[in-house]
Amino acid sequence: MRLFFFFTLFISLFFCKPSLAQAQTITGWQQLGYPYHQWEIVGNEIKAFTDRHNTKSFLVSDVSTPIAENFSFSFILNPMQGVDHNFVWNFIDEENYYQVHFTGSSIWMTRFVDRNIRLENSVNFTVQQGQTYAVRLEQIGDQLSLAIDNQSVLGMHDWSHDERSRGAVGFKLAPGAITPVESHFLDPQLNNVDTLLLPVDRLLQTNFNWRYFEYDSASQWSTDPSIGRWGCALTSLTMVMNYHQLEMMPDGKEVNPRYVNDWLKSQPDGYVGEGLLNWWAATRLIKEISDQYSTAEKQLPKLEFSRQAVDWQNAARSALTAGNPLIAQVPGHFVVVNGFEHSTDSFFIQDPFYDYTRLEQHQQTLSLRLFTPSQTDLSAVVIYHPPDTAVDITNHQGEIVSQTWKEMIETPQTAQTNQPINITAISKPAEENYTIDFPHFSSAENITILSYNQDAEARFLTLPENILETQKINFKFSKNNGAIIIEGFNWQAFLNQLSTLYEQQLISEHAYQRLSKLISYAQQADQTVWSRYQHYLKNILRSEEHTSE
């Protein structure tokens, strides 16, 4: 048994993924608190053991030298015995620090101020004894993010962030009633992450290997229909796919803009309108590649698509911190965002056309296209419509749950644009009833409705014949089947049928006039009282039937 009360260890550390982050040296490891816990260092591994329940000790770096404000702290966790495994950061003393606590079935992220809990967040997560976990904690300003095995599992906005939110990093032994507890922490690494850069290889839409191939069906609407002219979104998507090691198409060809374009052209939903890339169709391609080429040793991700416009800077930093590059929409163009510099509040990009390296070199950032690794839900309902046609999707409570945005592409240099189109969408809908509202609807021309189930399998929805009258579509959504249109009762259609019966002299003029007047009242009434009018109509029709007998 080897006891360490105060000792010093100097280690040069390097960030665990490619980045421009600057490595720092951890100095002055110290053991604090309960003196009879065992802390042992063997090479680059720290071993902690105790059989004393309800006790607490720490092994922390030099508390007199706080670490950088924006940093990552990473290590390999091997929980050998027990269920209480902990690490700490911003450690000032034994009553003031931040902590992540692995309980065996959950993870808790907590800040302690003067021994009291100031803020806390948790997530269900099973930790098994003897299995290793790559743990990475990142603090960027007041944003905290915990990733395990390169997957983001827990985050928290630190509203309590203050002058005491800087301190040392380290580990903690604090068993409860269950002992013994043994934790191994391998290869602890600390980095200043003011600057983070993900290793996204740049592709140019003008590359000779694909620049002259026709983009979508662009020869129908452009004098220069090439990928080199129109392929910014396509090339950006390909860069993101390559980063996630999606490198071979389902037919065995290389994942590059030429063959991704070919696949999209082969799909009924691959492109919409004049060359607008359908992001949800792209998730289906990614799923096919993942399903076909994943192995037990190498599991390729599926990527969930989402769009972010509000607070896009924080969304971008969170995605990048979790190791996921994203696509930014700027006026008429798309680029890949692959890093940030916190001190200057700027973002690094890989631009498929211009020789720009920072996002602010473009005029404006309109929104983001996020692709998050997932093995679960790729479902959505998507409506493509002209910009002058208003569309909303509401849930069964009448709340608007959709986003609407405009997309268009402008060719570099010549500033030729394709036909802009609006997209109204809801991603990962809950299984319930919804309504698509078309207020002031006047034409069904150029409207496409697509439904995607959880596997991104697409189905086109047909507009009902009476859409100009009802100006709405009701549908039920399920994860397995997507959206199914519900044929609803329509007063105008009923009146049309009634008029036909009157013209055929199957009902009297008196009954027709009474029914027509009642229908006019019902059309102006709220849907919740329709059953009352339907009851009146049935009584009039029964009376008419008895009279005719």
Side-chain angles (χ1 to χ4, degrees), residues 5-25:
F5 294 95
F6 294 95
F7 50 87
T8 302
L9 177 67
F10 294 89
I11 307 175
S12 296
L13 301 167
F14 298 93
F15 193 35
C16 61
K17 60 182 178 181
S19 170
L20 291 182
Q22 297 299 311
Q24 295 177 265
T25 300

Side-chain angles (χ1 to χ4, degrees), residues 209-224:
N209 291 316
W210 49 75
R211 69 175 299 174
Y212 295 113
F213 288 91
E214 183 182 12
Y215 175 81
D216 182 28
S217 56
S219 58
Q220 300 177 18
W221 40 268
S222 172
T223 56
D224 183 355

Side-chain angles (χ1 to χ4, degrees), residues 83-331:
V83 295
D84 292 289
H85 310 279
N86 312 273
F87 70 94
V88 298
W89 69 98
N90 293 336
F91 181 94
I92 297 175
D93 55 40
E94 297 172 48
E95 297 183 350
N96 296 276
Y97 56 92
Y98 292 69
Q99 168 186 285
V100 162
H101 174 49
F102 296 87
T103 69
S105 61
S106 62
I107 301 174
W108 290 82
M109 182 182 290
T110 308
R111 183 186 184 186
F112 293 95
V113 176
D114 298 330
R115 196 181 292 182
N116 299 310
I117 295 175
R118 176 65 61 87
L119 76 162
E120 193 166 49
N121 197 12
S122 66
V123 66
N124 292 330
F125 189 93
T126 301
V127 175
Q128 297 181 350
Q129 293 181 6
Q131 181 173 329
T132 60
Y133 300 89
V135 178
R136 186 179 74 250
L137 183 283
E138 294 194 350
Q139 175 178 294
I140 308 294
D142 56 5
Q143 297 295 321
L144 300 171
S145 175
L146 176 68
I148 296 179
D149 295 332
N150 291 321
Q151 297 292 318
S152 180
V153 296
L154 181 60
M156 185 164 62
H157 171 67
D158 182 10
W159 56 264
S160 69
H161 192 85
D162 55 24
E163 67 279 358
R164 291 196 293 176
S165 296
R166 293 185 64 185
V169 296
F171 305 99
K172 174 183 174 183
L173 263 178
I178 299 176
T179 57
V181 169
E182 182 178 358
S183 308
H184 293 186
F185 307 100
L186 177 67
D187 194 24
Q189 300 185 8
L190 178 65
N191 283 89
N192 178 348
V193 294
D194 180 72
T195 301
L196 181 146
L197 191 68
L198 300 179
V200 175
D201 292 332
R202 187 187 184 201
L203 296 177
L204 291 173
Q205 63 195 77
T206 54
N207 185 296
F208 182 79
N209 291 316
W210 49 75
R211 69 175 299 174
Y212 295 113
F213 288 91
E214 183 182 12
Y215 175 81
D216 182 28
S217 56
S219 58
Q220 300 177 18
W221 40 268
S222 172
T223 56
D224 183 355
S226 66
I227 290 176
R229 183 55 59 91
W230 296 99
C232 58
L234 170 69
T235 307
S236 295
L237 170 66
T238 307
M239 284 191 266
V240 171
M241 292 174 67
N242 287 169
Y243 170 83
H244 287 288
Q245 300 181 22
L246 302 162
E247 299 167 343
M248 190 175 296
M249 297 292 291
D251 62 2
K253 295 177 181 176
E254 178 187 11
V255 170
N256 66 33
R258 173 186 175 182
Y259 297 124
V260 174
N261 177 60
D262 286 347
W263 186 91
L264 291 168
K265 290 167 68 173
S266 73
Q267 304 297 303
D269 62 328
Y271 288 102
V272 179
E274 294 185 352
L276 292 176
L277 191 154
N278 184 348
W279 305 105
W280 290 272
T283 67
R284 184 170 66 254
L285 169 60
I286 292 166
K287 179 182 182 298
E288 289 184 14
I289 295 172
S290 174
D291 289 343
Q292 185 167 337
Y293 297 112
S294 288
T295 65
E297 295 76 24
K298 183 180 180 181
Q299 180 67 45
L300 298 175
K302 301 174 180 67
L303 299 178
E304 289 182 7
F305 168 76
S306 61
R307 172 186 176 270
Q308 182 83 25
V310 178
D311 195 24
W312 66 264
Q313 293 93 336
N314 280 331
R317 280 189 286 267
S318 295
L320 293 165
T321 298
N324 300 317
L326 51 117
I327 297 173
Q329 179 187 12
V330 299

Side-chain angles (χ1 to χ4, degrees), residues 49-100:
F49 174 85
T50 185
D51 57 3
R52 308 291 182 94
H53 58 79
N54 297 319
T55 53
K56 180 173 64 177
S57 72
F58 301 86
L59 180 69
V60 295
S61 60
D62 185 358
V63 295
S64 66
T65 308
I67 59 178
E69 183 175 359
N70 303 304
F71 68 91
S72 73
F73 180 39
S74 60
F75 55 89
I76 304 298
L77 169 66
N78 189 348
M80 301 299 294
Q81 299 186 70
V83 295
D84 292 289
H85 310 279
N86 312 273
F87 70 94
V88 298
W89 69 98
N90 293 336
F91 181 94
I92 297 175
D93 55 40
E94 297 172 48
E95 297 183 350
N96 296 276
Y97 56 92
Y98 292 69
Q99 168 186 285
V100 162

Side-chain angles (χ1 to χ4, degrees), residues 303-432:
L303 299 178
E304 289 182 7
F305 168 76
S306 61
R307 172 186 176 270
Q308 182 83 25
V310 178
D311 195 24
W312 66 264
Q313 293 93 336
N314 280 331
R317 280 189 286 267
S318 295
L320 293 165
T321 298
N324 300 317
L326 51 117
I327 297 173
Q329 179 187 12
V330 299
H333 191 49
F334 290 91
V335 301
V336 174
V337 182
N338 67 317
F340 64 84
E341 188 172 64
H342 189 76
S343 59
T344 60
D345 199 28
S346 62
F347 292 88
F348 300 107
I349 62 172
Q350 294 286 33
D351 195 308
F353 187 88
Y354 299 100
D355 290 327
Y356 295 163
T357 59
R358 294 190 181 241
L359 188 56
E360 57 267 27
Q361 290 176 273
H362 285 281
Q363 173 187 350
Q364 181 186 6
T365 300
L366 301 175
S367 59
L368 307 179
R369 307 291 179 270
L370 304 173
F371 290 88
T372 306
S374 168
Q375 299 295 330
T376 52
D377 190 357
L378 305 175
S379 62
V381 174
V382 189
I383 307 163
Y384 295 90
H385 53 96
D388 58 357
T389 300
V391 180
D392 287 318
I393 303 176
T394 57
N395 61 15
H396 71 284
Q397 297 177 326
E399 302 166 332
I400 296 176
V401 292
S402 57
Q403 294 187 60
T404 298
W405 67 92
K406 181 187 293 185
E407 284 196 10
M408 59 175 286
I409 304 173
E410 181 179 289
T411 63
Q413 299 172 340
T414 63
Q416 181 185 357
T417 62
N418 65 350
Q419 185 68 35
I421 198 167
N422 272 21
I423 301 172
T424 296
I426 173 174
S427 295
K428 298 198 292 188
E431 294 190 320
E432 61 171 272

